[in-house]
Amino acid sequence: MIPLDTRRLFRAEFPALPDRAAAVRRMVAAHLRDWRLGGVVDHVVLATNELFANAVEHGSSGPADTVTITVSLERYGRELRVEVADGSPVIPVVRQPEPTEESGRGLAIVDDLAGDWGTEPPDPGAGGKKVWFTLPLGTAS
């Protein structure tokens, strides 16, 4: 675990293309391991992957669009926050798909894995929205 007084931030922009999901997963996993947070890699990568997939499918208008991923340690290392920003202002909603449907479970997965999640307006000067989730981290000794 990293010291409580350490703050970290990583931001990357990816083309809004489904084939970029693997690069997003690798980037998030690598930074978490570098930050000595290997114990949360699987949950964070899965939740981030779901938000990225939603941003690509529902939040982009074409291949020229981008999705911005921000991973940060907040509250002095006690909480991990991931934001996924896309160009659509449409707020996502949790669906309850039929058992035979192949999609529609992404936000339910995020809700199950995360400590909290939600949406907020984009950064100043940008369009769209941010969808975020947080994951509480154990305190360092």
Side-chain angles (χ1 to χ4, degrees):
M1 189 64 61
I2 62 173
L4 292 179
D5 62 349
T6 301
R7 289 189 176 216
R8 304 278 174 118
L9 172 77
F10 182 79
R11 178 173 286 159
E13 192 172 280
F14 293 88
L17 299 168
D19 68 354
R20 294 307 176 113
V24 169
R25 292 189 301 268
R26 283 191 305 270
M27 183 268 309
V28 170
H31 278 84
L32 293 177
R33 287 185 183 107
D34 185 52
W35 296 350
R36 297 185 187 144
L37 296 174
V40 298
V41 167
D42 291 343
H43 285 102
V44 174
V45 167
L46 178 56
T48 304
N49 188 67
E50 293 299 332
L51 293 186
F52 180 76
N54 284 351
V56 170
E57 184 174 342
H58 305 291
S60 72
S61 60
D65 287 350
T66 60
V67 175
T68 302
I69 309 289
T70 305
V71 181
S72 60
L73 280 169
E74 298 192 350
R75 297 185 185 157
Y76 297 98
R78 294 185 187 144
E79 181 175 81
L80 186 76
R81 179 179 169 109
V82 176
E83 297 175 355
V84 178
D86 64 51
S88 172
V90 177
I91 303 300
V93 294
V94 177
R95 293 185 49 218
Q96 299 206 350
E98 294 297 322
T100 56
E101 288 184 79
E102 293 184 13
S103 64
R105 293 170 183 78
L107 288 178
I109 290 170
V110 172
D111 187 56
D112 189 49
L113 295 173
D116 195 13
W117 74 274
T119 63
E120 61 187 44
D123 289 336
K129 67 178 168 305
K130 293 180 193 174
V131 182
W132 56 267
F133 70 88
T134 59
L135 187 67
L137 303 172
T139 58
S141 50

